[in-house]
């Protein structure tokens, strides 16, 4: 036998140890120490090392084994038929190579099924005479953990199969997953409460399923997709597609996004379609599973030690990556809110390079326990903004210190304060230079006075040149036409356009003026509510907290914030100046529709917002819907009541058409917000 070089043997030992540990943390602790893509790369390296030195292969190698030893906290359960894993393909060429092996093995081109690869937790459901006898995790593939009590809390899983003559024994294989809406809602609530968010829906599902107390599992809205069978006694099937149809009929959930295809070209078309549309389903997928459909052909092909030869998993590009947290810096927003953000070693995730990611506030930084120098996991899924999900603790440098909010504002040096009951720190200095830049940009933004030609860079230039020192100065720029013309590369046209844009901004209705003032917690919906309740700006300024609170839809937090803002002498002065400069001060007379602010107006509606809307940011559109009782979700499904589509809506709109879900443009959306119904 050929001598194995020392370094190959050492690397084999090292890789085996790392992979075994990663599997244990993934399977048992529900907290993997590295992104899936890194695990896959190390696994690939181990496979290549073994291919070069076959003597390194032992039955205990991670390439020959599945999962992890079952956790003794749960009763062991021996699967009737082993639960194996799948081999992976990362490119079209690797898929073709697999298909080539299949065709050579069978001597003909078989029919194939394409399914979505659900990023969840593998489950084995054993039905005896149609009744759920045991549910178990995969464990080491032979013995899993008995989680029957936990699985019985999952609404999707029937206790009794809906068939007339149930088979003696039926092992149903599937994937438990955490639906994305529920996952996002849970994580938002955790962030709000200062708790660490779950890394991803898979880990949340794994954690929820592995609760010792099934009553805790019951509070988590887990779901299941079934995708195959193990042992079957008392009936026979001849094709996988027939199995899926039978399972569906029997009341077991099967993913509808499945196709039977004739060859690898169609497989690749399915892969490409779903790689583009991966965020259009309400659960997380990480690939496509391709299987030989004919069960007799499957028997001919057989298995390797850890995976069937009749199936392959194509892995999509990852939505999570690891990178280094270089620094934590603080931005001061337009209301003075201090927001820490991560400065990252640039990392490519899901088609974009991520260098910055918000860390929300100091409580979140502590809850996540991310420290400068840490290797951190970064995630970007669909429309969700990039997020630092947590540190890889095993790689923490010895000198990494916990982070705390600096005492003083990094822009003006004034103390940062955290008001009683607030999660955020604030810079209270109304003249803080960064706060000024942010408030000016906000004043000019679409949801506020929508001033064309006054983007972020122009704002910076005007402030730098001393032409604008506060919000009122914007409306004095007409007096500085000459100075504007003297600015580098500014021609007459640009100056006139800007001044015309400012004049148009002056005419914007009062609710937008209120939004432009940068009052904490006062977004467009609440601004409209205020405008409807008062005849003009003066009346809003004069209102005491009780009067503000008595308005339907205005809570104590907003009432206090509005009152405190107008009572601050510096703000009062600014409003006086703005009035003198001709901004709108009168309410239009409540002509904006009756339903505004009604917290139940859209109860029962599930809405997806996609594309760019003129008058709303995505957050504002979401808030406007939620304030009326609607549920806002990220993906279009059969349960979606409406898709609001702005400019460049992308695939979600197509999905709506495909499923027959109504689509509203911005005008129809405004009508819905005002009246609680789509225009007839
Ligand atoms: S079929 C012999 N179909 O992915 C194993 N598995 O990475 C046959 N998975 O162990 C598995 N979606 O837990 C199959 N549509 C699907 C799947 C799927 C997710 C999981 C499954 C498997 C793992 C392999």
């Amino acid at each position: 036998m050929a001598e194995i070089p020392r370094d190959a043997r050492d690397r084999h030992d090292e890789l085996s140890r790392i992979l075994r540990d990663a599997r244990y943390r993934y399977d048992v602790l529900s907290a993997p120490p590295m992104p899936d893509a890194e695990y896959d790369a190390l696994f690939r390296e181990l496979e290549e090392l073994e291919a070069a030195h076959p003597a390194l292969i032992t039955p205990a190698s991670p390439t020959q084994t599945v999962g992890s030893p079952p956790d003794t906290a749960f009763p062991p359960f021996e699967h009737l038929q082993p639960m194996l894993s799948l081999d992976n393909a990362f490119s079209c060429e690797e898929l073709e190579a697999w298909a080539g092996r299949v065709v050579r093995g069978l001597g003909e081109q078989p029919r194939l099924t394409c399914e979505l690869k659900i990023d969840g937790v593998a489950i084995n459901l054993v039905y005896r005479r149609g009744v759920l006898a045991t549910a178990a995790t995969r464990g080491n593939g032979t013995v899993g953990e008995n989680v029957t009590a936990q699985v019985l809390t999952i609404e999707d899983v029937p206790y009794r199969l809906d068939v007339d003559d149930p088979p003696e024994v039926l092992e149903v294989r599937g994937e438990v997953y955490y639906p994305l809406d529920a996952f996002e809602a849970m994580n938002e609530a955790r962030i709000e409460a200062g708790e660490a968010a779950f890394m991803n829906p898979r880990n949340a599902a794994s954690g929820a399923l592995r609760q010792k107390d099934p009553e805790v599992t019951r509070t988590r809205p887990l779901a299941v997709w079934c995708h195959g069978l193990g042992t079957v006694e008392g009936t026979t099937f001849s094709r996988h597609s027939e199995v899926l149809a039978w399972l569906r009929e029997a009341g077991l959930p099967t993913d509808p996004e499945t196709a039977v295809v004739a060859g690898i070209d169609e497989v690749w078309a399915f892969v490409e379609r779903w790689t583009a549309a991966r965020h259009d389903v309400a659960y997380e997928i990480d690939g496509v599973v391709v299987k030989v459909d004919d069960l007799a052909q499957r028997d001919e092909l057989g298995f390797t030690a850890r995976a069937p030869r009749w199936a392959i998993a194509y892995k999509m590009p990852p939505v999570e990556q690891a990178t280094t947290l270089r620094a934590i810096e603080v931005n001061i927003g337009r209301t003075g809110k201090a927001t820490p953000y991560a400065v990252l070693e640039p990392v490519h995730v899901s088609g974009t390079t991520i260098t910055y990611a918000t860390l929300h506030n100091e409580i979140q930084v502590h809850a996540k326990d991310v420290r400068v120098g840490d290797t951190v996991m970064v995630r970007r899924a669909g429309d969700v903004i990039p997020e630092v999900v947590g540190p890889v603790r095993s790689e923490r440098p010895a000198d990494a210190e916990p982070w705390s909010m600096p005492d003083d504002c990094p822009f003006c040096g004034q103390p940062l304060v955290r008001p009683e009951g607030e999660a955020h720190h604030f810079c209270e200095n109304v003249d803080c230079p960064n706060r000024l830049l942010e408030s000016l940009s906000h004043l000019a933004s679409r949801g506020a006075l929508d001033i064309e030609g006054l983007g972020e860079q122009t704002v910076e230039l005007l402030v730098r040149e001393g032409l604008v020192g506060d919000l009122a100065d914007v409306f004095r720029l007409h007096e500085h036409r000459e100075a504007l013309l003297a600015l580098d590369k500014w021609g007459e046209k640009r100056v006139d356009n800007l001044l015309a844009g400012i004049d148009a901004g002056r005419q914007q209705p009062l609710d937008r003026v209120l939004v432009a003032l940068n009052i904490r917690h006062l977004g467009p919906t609440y601004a409209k509510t205020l405008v409807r309740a008062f005849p003009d700006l003066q009346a809003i300024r004069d209102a005491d907290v009780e009067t503000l609170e008595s308005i339907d839809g205005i809570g104590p937090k907003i009432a206090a914030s509005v009152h405190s803002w107008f009572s601050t002498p510096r703000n009062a002065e600014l409003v006086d100046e703005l009035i003198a400069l001709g901004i709108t001060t009168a309410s239009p007379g409540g002509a904006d529709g009756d339903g505004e602010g009604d917290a139940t107006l859209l109860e029962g509606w599930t809405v997806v917002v996609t594309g760019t809307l003129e008058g709303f940011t995505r957050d504002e559109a979401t808030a406007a819907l939620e304030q009326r009782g609607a549920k806002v979700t990220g993906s279009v499904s059969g349960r979606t009541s409406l898709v609001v589509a702005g400019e460049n809506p992308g695939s979600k709109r197509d999905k709506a058409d495909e499923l027959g879900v109504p689509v509203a443009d911005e005008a129809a959306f405004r009508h819905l917000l005002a009246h609680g119904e789509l225009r007839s």
Side-chain angles (χ1 to χ4, degrees), residues 83-86 88 115-119 121-122 138 174-175 227 289 291 303 307-308 310 313 315:
M83 287 180 81
L84 297 185
S85 189
L86 289 171
N88 291 329
E115 292 165 24
L116 301 182
K117 180 163 160 39
I118 316 300
D119 198 5
V121 182
R138 186 167 59 179
E175 207 75 6
H227 52 58
V289 182
K291 303 172 182 174
F303 297 86
W310 43 259
K315 287 292 221 55

Side-chain angles (χ1 to χ4, degrees), residues 39 110 116 150 168 193 197 265 305 331 405 423 432 441 546 571 576 632 652:
Y39 176 91
L116 301 182
Q150 286 75 3
E168 202 55 46
D265 289 348
N331 187 45
M405 186 64 86
C432 170
S441 295
E546 291 70 35
N571 294 334
D576 286 340
V632 181
K652 290 186 189 173

Side-chain angles (χ1 to χ4, degrees), residues 29 100 106 127 139 154 192 246 343 355 357 361 374 411 462 498 522 586 635 661:
L29 304 183
L106 295 173
Y127 284 89
I154 304 177
E192 193 94 326
W246 189 94
V343 182
T355 313
N361 54 46
D374 269 345
F411 299 98
L462 295 175
L498 174 64
L522 191 77
S635 45
V661 173

